[in-house]
């Protein structure tokens, strides 16, 4: 078929149409004749004029390449030409019509004559600016994630060190450290739900004080959102106040009461007041502990403000002032306030559960967590089955007698729902242990959910509750899509 044939013209038009639908421009470069032909679609992408233009060599296009990419372009071009003349290059292009920069991918094939001399280059051009921007955004997100993970690990390490310095026994250390870690986890959970744009003060307060009976705690204040840094600081500060109130202050007795309020300040920050009453007579501590240091220095500095503590005989009074930098606008995505736990749940978590003889399956993909669960449940008297670290491993363990199970909601990216469904069909109760922020577990099962980080005693208590109030089988509502 020759170029003058109607079939050739039809094929050429079909090819041009296909390239246009794919968003690709095309070019033909007669290198012997010094003519470079730009298709209309390539002209729209590059800003070069459509049609033929003079081009005596590949250097003719170099003025349109971003200066920072020119050396790389030349190196790639020379390497690919030496490897057979199949080109696939990416570079930033400066449009000659409006000066805008775009990322281009240029792919082409070099044709040679019988003597091996370059005769022509035919290829396509694709605008990959969007892909490059998305790639840069992904890298930025990965860098930010890496930064946050390292900060979190460093903070946990510092909390462990400071907690160890202030405690004299392993049990006291574990209890204090677990509480501080839980406060950090609650703040991060709220921040994640709001895409790390901020957390509401009332949500932070509810996460910390919602565990106590409603008659012992009250809080009120305007809707006010804190930056991630300020939210983490306030969460730790509130935890220290609550922990001290439980050990020495108003929350150590049933008649005690904690009132918490906050207000906006004219200069843009806020002031929070923690007031205790109805508890035992208090006085200044004999020594300055980590909690007082955190309130006075860390929390104050992180909130760009200051903290004052009064040890009144009637109860502790704390005033915390924060600067305007601690406050952020209302995020576009705002999570629901944490659901308060009942006093019974709180006391059950702190009580020593009895699982003597109970056969408990552990399904958890994190080795350290699985080991901790195995030790904690065994200490409570359970006969541990597993742990199972993978979905198939867990399913293979279901052919033996099981009284209850602790299920990680996500196993290396796969939902644990098939295991839950099999257990539910057999009438075996289970509890979900998950790092996800939702209240329900995967698959729509009506089963307890314990969010990480958790205390192993809390998990053991939840299993004990399952066995004590064991229903015929966990009810299943309308199934939801499992986690990816």
């Amino acid at each position: 078929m020759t170029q003058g044939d109607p079939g050739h013209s039809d094929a050429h038009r079909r090819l041009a149409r296909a390239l246009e639908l794919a968003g690709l421009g095309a070019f033909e470069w007669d290198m012997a004749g010094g003519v470079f032909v730009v298709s209309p679609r390539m002209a729209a992408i590059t800003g070069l004029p459509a049609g033929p233009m003079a081009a005596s060599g590949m250097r003719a296009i170099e003025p349109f390449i971003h200066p920072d990419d020119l050396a790389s372009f030349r190196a790639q071009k020379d390497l690919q030409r030496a490897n057979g003349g199949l080109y696939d290059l990416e570079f930033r292009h400066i449009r000659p019509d409006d000066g805008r920069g775009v990322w281009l991918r240029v792919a082409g094939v070099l044709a040679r004559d019988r003597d091996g001399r370059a005769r022509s280059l035919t290829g396509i051009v694709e605008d990959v600016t969007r892909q490059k921007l998305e790639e840069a955004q992904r890298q930025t997100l990965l860098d930010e994630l890496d930064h946050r993970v390292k900060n979190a690990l460093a903070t946990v390490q510092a909390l462990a060190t400071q907690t160890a310095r202030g405690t004299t026994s392993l049990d006291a250390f574990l209890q204090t450290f677990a509480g501080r870690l839980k406060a950090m986890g609650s703040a991060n959970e709220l921040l994640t739900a709001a895409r790390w744009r901020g957390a509401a003060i009332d949500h932070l307060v509810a996460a910390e004080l919602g565990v106590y009976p409603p008659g012992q705690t009250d809080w009120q204040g305007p809707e006010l959102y804190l930056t991630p840094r300020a939210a983490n600081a306030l969460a730790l500060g509130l935890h220290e106040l609550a922990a001290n109130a439980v050990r020495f202050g108003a929350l150590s007795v049933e008649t005690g009461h904690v009132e918490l309020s906050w207000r906006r300040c004219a200069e843009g920050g806020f002031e929070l007041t923690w007031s205790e009453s109805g508890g035992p007579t208090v006085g200044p501590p004999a020594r300055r502990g980590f909690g007082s240091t955190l309130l006075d220095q860390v929390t104050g500095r992180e909130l760009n403000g200051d903290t004052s503590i009064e040890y009144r005989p009637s109860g502790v009074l704390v005033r915390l002032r924060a600067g305007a930098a601690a406050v952020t606008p209302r995020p576009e995505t705002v999570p629901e306030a944490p659901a308060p736990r009942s006093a019974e749940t709180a006391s059950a978590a702190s009580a020593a559960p009895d699982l003597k003889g109970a056969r408990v399956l552990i399904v958890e993909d994190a080795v350290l967590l699985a080991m901790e669960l195995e030790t904690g449940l065994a200490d409570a008297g359970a006969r541990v089955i597993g742990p199972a670290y993978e979905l198939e491993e867990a399913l293979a363990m279901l052919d033996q007698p099981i009284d209850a199970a602790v299920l990680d909601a996500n196993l290396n990216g796969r939902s644990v729902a098939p295991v839950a469904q099999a257990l539910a069909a057999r009438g075996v109760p289970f509890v979900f242990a998950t790092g996800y922020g939702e209240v329900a577990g995967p698959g729509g099962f009506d089963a307890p959910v314990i969010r990480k980080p958790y205390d192993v005693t809390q998990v053991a208590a939840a299993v004990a509750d399952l066995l004590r109030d064991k229903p015929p089988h966990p009810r299943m509502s309308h199934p939801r899509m499992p986690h990816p």
Side-chain angles (χ1 to χ4, degrees):
M1 187 181 292
T2 64
Q3 290 189 3
D5 291 338
H8 175 86
S9 298
D10 290 342
H12 187 79
R13 282 194 294 271
R14 287 196 296 272
L15 176 60
R17 180 59 176 163
L19 291 174
E20 182 179 353
L21 290 174
L24 303 175
F27 65 86
E28 296 179 13
W29 192 348
D30 180 358
M31 304 177 77
V35 178
F36 189 88
V37 181
V38 176
S39 73
R41 178 59 186 165
M42 178 177 172
I45 293 173
T46 65
L48 295 170
M53 59 185 292
S56 57
M58 290 195 78
R59 288 188 178 272
I61 65 171
E62 290 187 357
F64 306 115
I65 298 175
H66 193 285
D68 292 345
D69 293 349
L70 190 54
S72 174
F73 170 82
R74 289 172 177 170
Q76 291 182 64
K77 177 199 66 176
D78 293 342
L79 177 63
Q80 294 180 23
R81 183 169 184 168
N83 289 338
L86 293 175
Y87 294 98
D88 195 339
L89 308 169
E90 287 188 357
F91 54 88
R92 283 170 291 179
H93 166 76
I94 308 300
R95 291 175 58 106
D97 56 346
D98 56 17
R100 288 190 297 114
V102 294
W103 273 97
L104 298 182
R105 173 177 176 257
V106 177
V109 57
L110 184 67
R112 302 179 184 273
D113 59 21
R114 293 180 178 179
D115 297 327
R117 291 188 296 267
R119 179 169 55 85
S120 65
L121 181 67
T122 304
I124 60 170
V125 174
E126 180 183 7
D127 183 347
V128 293
T129 304
R130 181 176 178 180
Q131 294 93 311
K132 286 292 184 180
L133 289 175
E134 290 175 349
E135 181 181 320
Q137 290 172 349
R138 283 194 296 271
Q139 187 59 50
T140 299
L141 289 174
L142 287 174
D143 291 343
E144 178 65 19
L145 177 61
D146 180 63
H147 170 72
R148 288 179 181 172
V149 168
K150 288 177 179 176
N151 271 354
L153 291 174
T155 302
V156 170
Q157 184 180 32
L159 277 178
T161 301
Q162 294 294 334
T163 303
R165 289 175 179 171
T167 53
T168 56
S169 70
L170 179 60
D171 288 343
F173 166 80
L174 292 175
Q175 182 178 3
T176 304
F177 180 65
R180 289 168 177 167
L181 201 59
K182 184 68 175 177
M184 280 185 58
S186 297
N188 279 269
E189 187 177 304
L190 291 169
L191 289 168
T192 299
R195 304 182 187 277
W196 277 81
R197 296 288 186 254
I201 288 184
D202 61 325
H203 290 182
L204 295 168
V205 174
E208 185 60 44
L209 297 185
V211 67
Y212 304 108
Q216 284 197 273
T217 58
D218 278 310
W219 60 86
Q220 61 178 344
E223 184 180 69
L224 206 153
Y225 291 86
L226 306 185
T227 65
R229 179 175 177 177
N232 273 300
L234 183 61
L236 280 174
L238 291 173
H239 173 73
E240 294 304 317
L241 289 172
N244 286 332
V246 168
R247 287 195 293 266
F248 315 112
L251 297 180
S252 65
V253 295
E254 294 183 358
T255 57
H257 186 265
V258 171
E259 184 172 349
L260 188 62
S261 63
W262 60 93
R263 63 177 183 84
R264 292 180 180 272
C265 297
E267 58 273 19
F270 70 91
E271 181 178 274
L272 182 143
T273 302
W274 171 287
S275 179
E276 298 183 26
S277 61
T281 302
V282 299
R287 65 179 182 86
R288 187 178 181 83
F290 173 66
S292 298
T293 301
L294 186 144
L295 283 169
D296 191 34
Q297 294 186 21
V298 179
T299 305
R301 292 178 186 273
E302 295 292 288
L303 293 171
N304 195 28
D306 60 82
T307 301
S308 65
I309 306 176
E310 296 181 32
Y311 296 95
R312 304 176 304 172
S314 59
V316 173
L317 176 67
V318 179
R319 287 192 177 91
L320 189 152
R321 299 173 187 84
V327 180
T328 191
R330 190 179 198 272
E332 293 181 3
T333 303
V334 177
E336 295 182 1
R341 292 184 294 163
S342 66
E344 290 76 17
T345 303
S347 61
S350 61
D354 182 9
L355 298 177
K356 185 176 181 180
R359 296 161 296 192
V360 182
L361 171 66
I362 296 176
V363 181
E364 170 60 64
D365 62 359
V367 175
L368 290 177
L369 285 179
M371 292 173 60
E372 183 70 7
L373 279 172
E374 185 176 10
T375 301
L377 294 177
D379 287 346
R383 293 171 52 192
V384 174
I385 300 172
Y389 301 99
E390 302 286 347
L391 181 62
E392 289 77 11
E393 189 179 4
L395 291 171
M397 293 181 179
L398 299 182
D399 59 353
Q400 54 189 302
I402 299 172
D403 296 314
V406 180
L407 307 180
D408 183 4
N410 186 292
L411 299 173
N412 294 314
R414 303 174 67 184
S415 173
V416 79
V419 179
Q421 188 170 10
L423 291 171
R426 290 173 49 181
V428 176
F430 50 84
V431 58
F432 287 113
T434 176
Y436 290 96
E438 69 268 11
V439 176
F445 294 94
D446 183 17
V449 176
I450 299 177
R451 292 192 292 273
K452 301 175 182 177
Y454 50 67
D455 186 307
V456 176
T457 305
Q458 182 184 2
V459 178
V463 173
D465 286 343
L466 289 177
L467 296 175
R468 183 170 52 251
D469 305 320
K470 184 177 178 180
H473 60 81
R475 299 188 307 276
M476 184 175 179
S477 61
H478 296 292
R480 299 195 309 270
M481 291 297 292
H483 292 296

